[in-house]
Amino acid sequence: MSAEYQVNGNIAIITLNNPPVNGLGHATRTAVVNGMKQALNDDAIKAIVITGAGKAFSGGADIKEFNSPKASAEPSLHTVINVVEGSTKPVIAAIHTVCMGGGLELALGCNYRIAAKGAQIALPEVKLGILPGAGGTQRLPRVLGLEMALNMIVSGTPVASEKLAKSAIFNEVVDGDVLQAALAFAAKVADVQPLPRVRDIKIDYPNYEAYLQFARNTVRAMAGPFPAPLKCVEAVAAAVTKKFDDGIKFERELFVDLVQTTESKALRHAFFGERAASKLPDVPEDTPVRPIKSVAVIGAGTMGGGIAMNFANAGIPVQILEMKQEALDKGLATIRKNYENTLKKGKLTQEKFEQRVGLITGTLSYDEIAQADIVIEAVFEDMGVKEQVFKKLDEVMKPGAILASNTSTLDVDKIADFTKRPEDVIGTHFFSPANVMKLLEIVRGKKTAKDVLATVLGLSKKIKKTGVVSGVCDGFIGNRMIEQYSRQAGFLLEEGCTPEQVDKAVEKMGFAMGPFRMGDLAGNDIGWYIRKRRYVEKPQITYSKTADLLCELGRFGQKTGAGWYDYKPGDRKAYPSQIVNDMIIKHSADLGITRRKISDQEIVERLIFSLVNEAAYILEEGIATRASDIDMVYLTGYGFPLHTGGPMFYADTVGLPNVVMAMEKYAKGRHGDAWKPAPLLAKLASEGKTFN
């Protein structure tokens, strides 16, 4: 059943029932219309209450039907709302827990609204690059007033029902059973005519032109490359300036335009990509999971401390193990300072601060962590060091404990083989700063048990991370691809660019940071360490020597006050460095390269298409399950611009035949061997297909 019809005395109750959030799918919409007809045709019925079963009134559109014909099939949400709004008997919405998107639009079509305290009210469509398309932009300003409604629609942020109690949106906000309150209210208004309708309310806002102009300017500055926020302002403006029916028509036109934009498609791709990432073809959703009530972290450095904070934030106790008291004290002090900063900014209450700090304790003894349900190793990125740690963990940890490694490039199968329980070993690659970055690469070893994988995927949600599963290979998904990106960045320097020019080209496209500013932030010595290993293991791969020369000068980045750029004490701004630029020019001359002017387009294409080509190999080898998983890695861990939908979606948008054509052009250049299209990319391009 997608909606239930019951009678209570002379009141009909229509209960939306489409778990988990009563999405307004086709079957649910049909059932509401049928319920309305039944109530209107029954002379004994004096009023109608609409509510939601379970944990929501309604979360809006049914995301399972997105991009399918069912989404727009009749009765559409417009039709449902017209039926409700045209009712000759009063319709009361009994709102609880969640009332968002189409769910709120449906409630605004009712004559009266009774809300439970704490219900989350929102029109979040802007987050998918669209706007409320079933009258939300026209009705919400009529009940909340122009400013409040505009803020809610442009931000998409939920507001608790009691905060809206003084406005006309709710007739009552109640503590307790909202259905009983709605039935009592329905009995009171059963005979009151004419019926109030939101559409008949006039918006009274003196000097609205000035306010709307101010709103346009503010939103334009904040929206960046996304068209939806500004279109939201235009739709709300129509609520003030046009007749209701014309406003509805205008809203619909804007909605249809936005659905077609690349930016909206990219946001919807990211929305669904995040949900798909936690599903694996061979790990059923009902796979039993291991209970995680306590966590241990090995290493109190930046990474270990950040990892520990994730669990404390989720209310799970954590023990941090260090070898020396001094290192442990320093790590715990850093964690405390991080929380103090959040407290000072007002983003944390004193009570939460005490609770989180209290959940993190330190120890110098392996025996003390033996009973933890999961232990995460965050020690130096060196196989010898990892071997010592895992042999010790194998010895002390209780049976059934999950042994996880926060390695960023090392072989998880090799690490698992240091233990007698390889099925309990998994990679959990957090990104720095670990308490902030959303991505968690979950590395599945050859022998990793399915319940271990299911447990860690569930845990990633609990600590508010986007968990993406990767197979075992050097660098997994993210770092394996970024290596190709970094190689191209180095070649661009040799051929004619400066670090600043390369960074600016990709930052203009929307990247949070270009490759050289990113290197300075992460520490250029990390890449140097990995390259030295590569020179031995994979001598056939060529790199630009500029980064090695930089490290030989001791310029490791922000931490040493000098990297690709110069830095001033207490100032994180990157200043172009004459020393570095002279070094790059001299290096080109030493190689006998005549430097040339390189366009921003070439910079962007070479950096991004090198990512895409490596990703095609990763897909083909089965390291990643699907193309959207790779996009999620880049959107949540590498600052890839959200409005492009990630590298694979971006390549689809450009057109894979065009990507291959550009690669053929770059293959004629100095490092042509890097541009051989991966078989999967070549195949999809020749068949006119896409990754996603």
Side-chain angles (χ1 to χ4, degrees), residues 66-67 125-131 225-229 254-272 642-645 649:
F66 254 57
N67 305 333
E125 286 82 353
V126 72
K127 294 179 176 174
L128 294 182
I130 48 182
L131 52 71
F226 293 104
L254 294 179
F255 176 85
V256 170
D257 286 348
L258 283 171
V259 167
Q260 299 307 323
T261 62
T262 303
E263 292 80 4
S264 171
K265 286 176 184 166
L267 284 174
R268 298 199 307 271
H269 171 68
F271 178 82
F272 289 110
L642 182 57
H643 72 278
T644 66
F649 188 83

Side-chain angles (χ1 to χ4, degrees), residues 489-688:
F491 297 151
L492 285 163
L493 294 184
E494 291 180 354
E495 292 168 39
C497 291
T498 62
E500 190 190 14
Q501 188 196 348
V502 174
D503 284 351
K504 276 195 168 151
V506 285
E507 284 163 17
K508 200 162 76 192
M509 180 194 160
F511 270 78
M513 232 178 241
F516 298 108
R517 277 179 55 207
M518 191 168 85
D520 278 359
L521 180 66
N524 296 310
D525 50 333
I526 297 170
W528 195 24
Y529 180 80
I530 292 170
R531 278 193 307 281
K532 284 177 184 170
R533 202 177 86 216
R534 288 280 190 277
Y535 295 150
V536 178
E537 292 170 7
K538 297 185 179 171
Q540 72 281 13
I541 299 181
T542 50
Y543 295 87
S544 163
K545 286 282 190 285
T546 42
D548 296 355
L549 295 171
L550 184 82
C551 290
E552 283 163 20
L553 294 174
R555 297 181 69 104
F556 294 156
Q558 286 187 14
K559 59 185 172 189
T560 56
W564 292 105
Y565 296 91
D566 292 332
Y567 298 91
K568 297 173 182 171
D571 176 4
R572 294 198 151 203
K573 189 171 173 307
Y575 296 91
S577 162
Q578 197 54 55
I579 296 173
V580 172
N581 290 346
D582 290 345
M583 174 196 88
I584 291 167
I585 290 166
K586 180 183 181 304
H587 183 57
S588 297
D590 291 346
L591 291 173
I593 297 172
T594 309
R595 292 175 69 80
R596 63 185 173 90
K597 195 171 169 12
I598 296 175
S599 70
D600 282 1
Q601 184 186 344
E602 179 176 339
I603 294 171
V604 167
E605 286 185 349
R606 282 175 63 176
L607 291 178
I608 295 179
F609 295 168
S610 64
L611 286 177
V612 170
N613 199 39
E614 191 63 30
Y617 284 111
I618 287 172
L619 264 182
E620 215 164 347
E621 292 164 21
I623 299 294
T625 308
R626 50 185 85 79
S628 63
D629 285 3
I630 296 172
D631 286 333
M632 292 323 298
V633 166
Y634 269 77
L635 291 174
T636 57
Y638 290 84
F640 205 92
L642 182 57
H643 72 278
T644 66
M648 311 307 271
F649 188 83
Y650 177 78
D652 287 345
T653 308
V654 170
L656 300 188
N658 295 328
V659 173
V660 170
M661 215 154 64
M663 288 174 68
E664 284 164 354
K665 181 175 77 188
Y666 298 130
K668 298 189 177 92
R670 191 177 148 79
H671 293 282
D673 55 334
W675 290 111
K676 186 176 178 341
L680 178 65
L681 173 57
K683 182 175 182 292
L684 292 174
S686 70
E687 291 170 2

Side-chain angles (χ1 to χ4, degrees), residues 333-407:
T334 305
I335 291 171
R336 190 180 181 91
K337 197 164 171 252
N338 280 337
Y339 279 131
E340 277 168 359
N341 289 341
T342 316
L343 180 69
K344 274 185 203 135
K345 288 178 190 155
K347 289 183 183 169
L348 206 58
T349 62
Q350 185 66 40
E351 184 193 2
K352 276 254 168 24
F353 168 79
E354 306 287 351
Q355 184 201 353
R356 289 179 184 184
V357 170
L359 282 170
I360 301 176
T361 53
T363 179
L364 299 175
S365 153
Y366 269 97
D367 293 337
E368 282 193 18
I369 65 164
Q371 293 307 309
D373 296 315
I374 182 171
V375 55
I376 300 170
E377 158 280 307
V379 300
F380 189 64
E381 186 73 343
D382 177 272
M383 200 50 107
V385 182
K386 306 269 189 205
E387 179 174 3
Q388 287 172 334
V389 171
F390 273 84
K391 283 186 168 160
K392 186 73 184 162
L393 290 175
D394 191 31
E395 209 177 288
V396 301
M397 297 309 291
K398 69 176 183 187
I402 294 174
L403 315 183
S405 171
N406 174 55
T407 175

Side-chain angles (χ1 to χ4, degrees), residues 135-392:
T137 64
Q138 303 308 294
R139 289 188 182 91
L140 197 65
R142 285 174 158 81
V143 290
L144 283 188
L146 185 57
E147 285 188 45
M148 179 81 188
L150 187 69
N151 286 338
M152 274 182 74
I153 292 167
V154 167
S155 72
T157 311
V159 179
S161 54
E162 58 270 29
K163 292 201 171 147
L164 305 172
K166 289 193 171 68
S167 71
I169 188 170
F170 302 127
N171 299 83
E172 286 178 10
V173 176
V174 299
D175 219 344
D177 189 334
V178 74
L179 182 59
Q180 291 312 312
L183 290 169
F185 186 87
K188 271 196 310 204
V189 297
D191 298 320
V192 176
Q193 292 283 352
L195 295 172
R197 298 190 307 176
V198 170
R199 63 177 289 153
D200 300 330
I201 300 172
K202 187 153 173 32
I203 298 172
D204 184 24
Y205 195 95
N207 199 4
Y208 63 83
E209 289 104 329
Y211 171 70
L212 288 169
Q213 202 40 56
F214 159 76
R216 281 185 191 102
N217 296 342
T218 315
V219 171
R220 190 178 287 117
M222 282 166 52
F226 293 104
L230 211 50
K231 292 272 200 265
C232 286
V233 180
E234 296 312 330
V236 172
V240 193
T241 56
K242 294 180 189 285
K243 288 195 182 101
F244 183 82
D245 288 330
D246 294 338
I248 287 278
K249 220 166 97 190
F250 182 65
E251 174 194 84
R252 191 75 204 151
E253 285 164 13
L254 294 179
F255 176 85
V256 170
D257 286 348
L258 283 171
V259 167
Q260 299 307 323
T261 62
T262 303
E263 292 80 4
S264 171
K265 286 176 184 166
L267 284 174
R268 298 199 307 271
H269 171 68
F271 178 82
F272 289 110
E274 184 157 3
R275 277 148 188 78
S278 61
K279 296 176 176 58
L280 291 172
D282 66 328
V283 181
E285 292 204 21
D286 56 2
T287 303
V289 295
R290 302 185 185 184
I292 303 290
K293 297 195 170 61
S294 62
V295 178
V297 175
I298 315 288
T302 315
M303 219 47 207
I307 291 170
M309 288 173 75
N310 286 308
F311 293 100
N313 296 351
I316 304 171
V318 191
Q319 276 183 301
I320 301 184
L321 173 93
E322 254 301 346
M323 294 296 96
K324 297 193 172 72
Q325 189 66 46
E326 187 189 355
L328 185 60
D329 293 344
K330 189 182 166 195
L332 291 172
T334 305
I335 291 171
R336 190 180 181 91
K337 197 164 171 252
N338 280 337
Y339 279 131
E340 277 168 359
N341 289 341
T342 316
L343 180 69
K344 274 185 203 135
K345 288 178 190 155
K347 289 183 183 169
L348 206 58
T349 62
Q350 185 66 40
E351 184 193 2
K352 276 254 168 24
F353 168 79
E354 306 287 351
Q355 184 201 353
R356 289 179 184 184
V357 170
L359 282 170
I360 301 176
T361 53
T363 179
L364 299 175
S365 153
Y366 269 97
D367 293 337
E368 282 193 18
I369 65 164
Q371 293 307 309
D373 296 315
I374 182 171
V375 55
I376 300 170
E377 158 280 307
V379 300
F380 189 64
E381 186 73 343
D382 177 272
M383 200 50 107
V385 182
K386 306 269 189 205
E387 179 174 3
Q388 287 172 334
V389 171
F390 273 84
K391 283 186 168 160
K392 186 73 184 162

